[in-house]
mmCIF file of all heavy atoms in Angstrom:
data_model
loop_
_atom_site.group_PDB
_atom_site.id
_atom_site.type_symbol
_atom_site.label_atom_id
_atom_site.label_comp_id
_atom_site.label_asym_id
_atom_site.label_seq_id
_atom_site.Cartn_x
_atom_site.Cartn_y
_atom_site.Cartn_z
ATOM 1 N N TRP A 865 -6.977 18.773 10.823
ATOM 2 C CA TRP A 865 -7.710 18.793 9.555
ATOM 3 C C TRP A 865 -6.926 19.516 8.464
ATOM 4 O O TRP A 865 -6.652 18.938 7.410
ATOM 5 C CB TRP A 865 -9.074 19.459 9.752
ATOM 6 C CG TRP A 865 -9.764 19.063 11.015
ATOM 7 C CD1 TRP A 865 -10.291 19.897 11.965
ATOM 8 C CD2 TRP A 865 -9.999 17.738 11.507
ATOM 9 N NE1 TRP A 865 -10.824 19.177 12.999
ATOM 10 C CE2 TRP A 865 -10.660 17.853 12.749
ATOM 11 C CE3 TRP A 865 -9.697 16.465 11.011
ATOM 12 C CZ2 TRP A 865 -11.030 16.745 13.496
ATOM 13 C CZ3 TRP A 865 -10.067 15.360 11.763
ATOM 14 C CH2 TRP A 865 -10.725 15.508 12.974
ATOM 15 N N ARG A 866 -6.581 20.755 8.688
ATOM 16 C CA ARG A 866 -5.873 21.512 7.645
ATOM 17 C C ARG A 866 -4.353 21.394 7.757
ATOM 18 O O ARG A 866 -3.631 21.651 6.805
ATOM 19 C CB ARG A 866 -6.294 22.986 7.691
ATOM 20 C CG ARG A 866 -7.388 23.352 6.726
ATOM 21 C CD ARG A 866 -8.691 22.599 6.887
ATOM 22 N NE ARG A 866 -9.340 22.810 8.175
ATOM 23 C CZ ARG A 866 -10.548 22.371 8.480
ATOM 24 N NH1 ARG A 866 -11.252 21.675 7.601
ATOM 25 N NH2 ARG A 866 -11.069 22.588 9.672
ATOM 26 N N TYR A 868 -2.808 18.467 8.633
ATOM 27 C CA TYR A 868 -2.398 17.142 8.158
ATOM 28 C C TYR A 868 -3.267 16.639 7.004
ATOM 29 O O TYR A 868 -2.777 16.400 5.908
ATOM 30 C CB TYR A 868 -2.430 16.118 9.300
ATOM 31 C CG TYR A 868 -1.881 14.780 8.837
ATOM 32 C CD1 TYR A 868 -0.521 14.531 8.843
ATOM 33 C CD2 TYR A 868 -2.728 13.784 8.325
ATOM 34 C CE1 TYR A 868 -0.004 13.332 8.371
ATOM 35 C CE2 TYR A 868 -2.224 12.593 7.848
ATOM 36 C CZ TYR A 868 -0.865 12.363 7.873
ATOM 37 O OH TYR A 868 -0.350 11.187 7.385
ATOM 38 N N LEU A 869 -4.574 16.488 7.246
ATOM 39 C CA LEU A 869 -5.402 15.794 6.258
ATOM 40 C C LEU A 869 -5.465 16.499 4.908
ATOM 41 O O LEU A 869 -5.276 15.872 3.862
ATOM 42 C CB LEU A 869 -6.815 15.610 6.821
ATOM 43 C CG LEU A 869 -6.992 14.450 7.811
ATOM 44 C CD1 LEU A 869 -8.362 14.515 8.458
ATOM 45 C CD2 LEU A 869 -6.794 13.110 7.120
ATOM 46 N N THR A 870 -5.739 17.793 4.898
ATOM 47 C CA THR A 870 -5.868 18.505 3.621
ATOM 48 C C THR A 870 -4.594 18.418 2.776
ATOM 49 O O THR A 870 -4.657 18.027 1.602
ATOM 50 C CB THR A 870 -6.270 19.972 3.849
ATOM 51 O OG1 THR A 870 -7.578 20.015 4.419
ATOM 52 C CG2 THR A 870 -6.280 20.764 2.543
ATOM 53 N N PRO A 871 -3.407 18.763 3.317
ATOM 54 C CA PRO A 871 -2.205 18.685 2.479
ATOM 55 C C PRO A 871 -1.794 17.259 2.131
ATOM 56 O O PRO A 871 -1.253 17.008 1.043
ATOM 57 C CB PRO A 871 -1.127 19.376 3.321
ATOM 58 C CG PRO A 871 -1.614 19.311 4.720
ATOM 59 C CD PRO A 871 -3.095 19.384 4.628
ATOM 60 N N ARG A 872 -2.049 16.281 3.007
ATOM 61 C CA ARG A 872 -1.655 14.903 2.688
ATOM 62 C C ARG A 872 -2.598 14.295 1.654
ATOM 63 O O ARG A 872 -2.183 13.481 0.829
ATOM 64 C CB ARG A 872 -1.614 14.049 3.957
ATOM 65 C CG ARG A 872 -0.585 14.477 4.988
ATOM 66 C CD ARG A 872 0.764 14.864 4.388
ATOM 67 N NE ARG A 872 1.397 13.727 3.733
ATOM 68 C CZ ARG A 872 2.366 13.847 2.829
ATOM 69 N NH1 ARG A 872 2.776 15.051 2.433
ATOM 70 N NH2 ARG A 872 2.898 12.779 2.284
ATOM 71 N N LEU A 873 -3.868 14.656 1.686
ATOM 72 C CA LEU A 873 -4.771 14.238 0.616
ATOM 73 C C LEU A 873 -4.357 14.871 -0.709
ATOM 74 O O LEU A 873 -4.430 14.236 -1.768
ATOM 75 C CB LEU A 873 -6.219 14.608 0.964
ATOM 76 C CG LEU A 873 -6.901 13.717 2.003
ATOM 77 C CD1 LEU A 873 -8.160 14.380 2.538
ATOM 78 C CD2 LEU A 873 -7.236 12.351 1.412
ATOM 79 N N GLU A 874 -3.921 16.127 -0.668
ATOM 80 C CA GLU A 874 -3.415 16.771 -1.883
ATOM 81 C C GLU A 874 -2.172 16.034 -2.371
ATOM 82 O O GLU A 874 -2.008 15.815 -3.581
ATOM 83 C CB GLU A 874 -3.100 18.237 -1.622
ATOM 84 C CG GLU A 874 -2.688 18.975 -2.883
ATOM 85 C CD GLU A 874 -2.255 20.402 -2.627
ATOM 86 O OE1 GLU A 874 -1.557 20.646 -1.624
ATOM 87 O OE2 GLU A 874 -2.590 21.273 -3.452
ATOM 88 N N ASN A 883 -11.185 16.076 -1.718
ATOM 89 C CA ASN A 883 -10.328 16.305 -0.542
ATOM 90 C C ASN A 883 -11.144 16.959 0.575
ATOM 91 O O ASN A 883 -11.188 16.472 1.716
ATOM 92 C CB ASN A 883 -9.157 17.188 -0.980
ATOM 93 C CG ASN A 883 -8.179 17.537 0.134
ATOM 94 O OD1 ASN A 883 -8.540 17.612 1.304
ATOM 95 N ND2 ASN A 883 -6.939 17.815 -0.232
ATOM 96 N N VAL A 887 -12.293 15.397 4.258
ATOM 97 C CA VAL A 887 -11.949 16.090 5.501
ATOM 98 C C VAL A 887 -13.216 16.456 6.263
ATOM 99 O O VAL A 887 -13.303 16.284 7.489
ATOM 100 C CB VAL A 887 -11.099 17.346 5.213
ATOM 101 C CG1 VAL A 887 -10.887 18.162 6.497
ATOM 102 C CG2 VAL A 887 -9.744 16.959 4.622
ATOM 103 N N LEU A 940 -5.039 25.707 1.210
ATOM 104 C CA LEU A 940 -4.268 25.430 -0.002
ATOM 105 C C LEU A 940 -3.734 26.707 -0.644
ATOM 106 O O LEU A 940 -2.627 26.730 -1.181
ATOM 107 C CB LEU A 940 -5.126 24.644 -0.994
ATOM 108 C CG LEU A 940 -5.541 23.235 -0.547
ATOM 109 C CD1 LEU A 940 -6.486 22.615 -1.568
ATOM 110 C CD2 LEU A 940 -4.318 22.339 -0.332
#
Side-chain angles (χ1 to χ4, degrees):
W865 318 128
R866 264 59 62 172
Y868 185 84
L869 281 171
T870 295
R872 297 318 296 161
L873 284 165
E874 185 185 41
N883 179 331
V887 173
L940 295 175

